[in-house]
Amino acid sequence: GGCVGLARRLRLAHGLDFRLEDAPCRKLVSPGCASDAGVPPSALETIARLGPELGQLGVVDVGYNDSAEDYSAGLDSVARALIEQGVPHVVWVTLRESQAPWPEINQQIRDATARWPQLTVADWAPVAAPHPEWFQDNAHMTGLGAAAFAAFLRPVVMNVCGAPCVT
């Protein structure tokens, strides 16, 4: 809901030049699944649309609606697009490992650092694992989960980007 998004946004964005492009059911390279909000553009389309508006760091938290068979190639397409748009740092968030194929996708994310030195993995999976109370279901967070996610992600962003991302 809006409160979950707002809490996460405020905690993540404090003191940063920050833009959140969140959408339910987003996928890496193909259009997302239909929801009440419509069909979201892919992460790749969003990067192309934003182009020069992208900053020093891109955070990618996409995959719950993607297949493991296509994920690695999609990750490469998205990473390449970010780098070609001049984004020097990419933080890629692992997925909660509450069902298949998410553990397999997470391994693909971790393996991608060998191909993409610009990529830092924000390993959310082991942080989230002991906290089912942070989730409404297998993937969607509660307000408590969103706050925990923001508290987890902000230090990763600050460590990777630091001063260039501060307003």
Side-chain angles (χ1 to χ4, degrees):
C3 292
V4 172
L6 180 60
R8 179 175 62 179
R9 187 175 300 121
L10 291 174
R11 184 169 232 159
L12 278 173
H14 181 73
L16 299 176
D17 183 6
F18 181 85
R19 180 177 183 151
L20 181 65
E21 287 286 331
D22 60 346
C25 297
R26 188 183 307 275
K27 294 183 180 182
L28 287 177
V29 297
S30 61
C33 49
S35 73
D36 293 341
V39 177
S42 69
L44 194 60
E45 286 179 74
T46 303
I47 292 162
R49 178 179 51 83
L50 293 174
E53 295 179 40
L54 294 166
Q56 294 295 308
L57 177 122
V59 177
V60 181
D61 183 16
V62 177
Y64 291 99
N65 298 297
D66 284 286
S67 71
E69 294 76 27
D70 302 328
Y71 197 85
S72 188
L75 183 153
D76 288 346
S77 294
V78 169
R80 184 178 303 107
L82 284 166
I83 292 160
E84 286 174 354
Q85 289 290 348
V87 177
H89 307 287
V90 178
V91 170
W92 209 288
V93 181
T94 61
L95 311 176
R96 182 177 186 221
E97 294 186 346
S98 56
Q99 70 182 42
W102 301 335
E104 184 180 345
I105 287 174
N106 283 347
Q107 191 55 54
Q108 292 176 40
I109 293 169
R110 293 177 189 114
D111 291 346
T113 58
R115 298 186 308 277
W116 299 101
Q118 304 89 338
L119 191 145
T120 299
V121 175
D123 207 353
W124 170 243
V127 175
H131 295 284
E133 72 277 11
W134 290 352
F135 298 89
Q136 297 174 22
D137 55 27
N138 283 330
H140 300 96
M141 290 179 241
T142 63
L144 185 61
F149 180 76
F152 157 78
L153 189 55
R154 183 175 169 84
V156 176
V157 168
M158 295 306 295
N159 186 52
V160 171
C161 194
C165 291
V166 176
T167 55

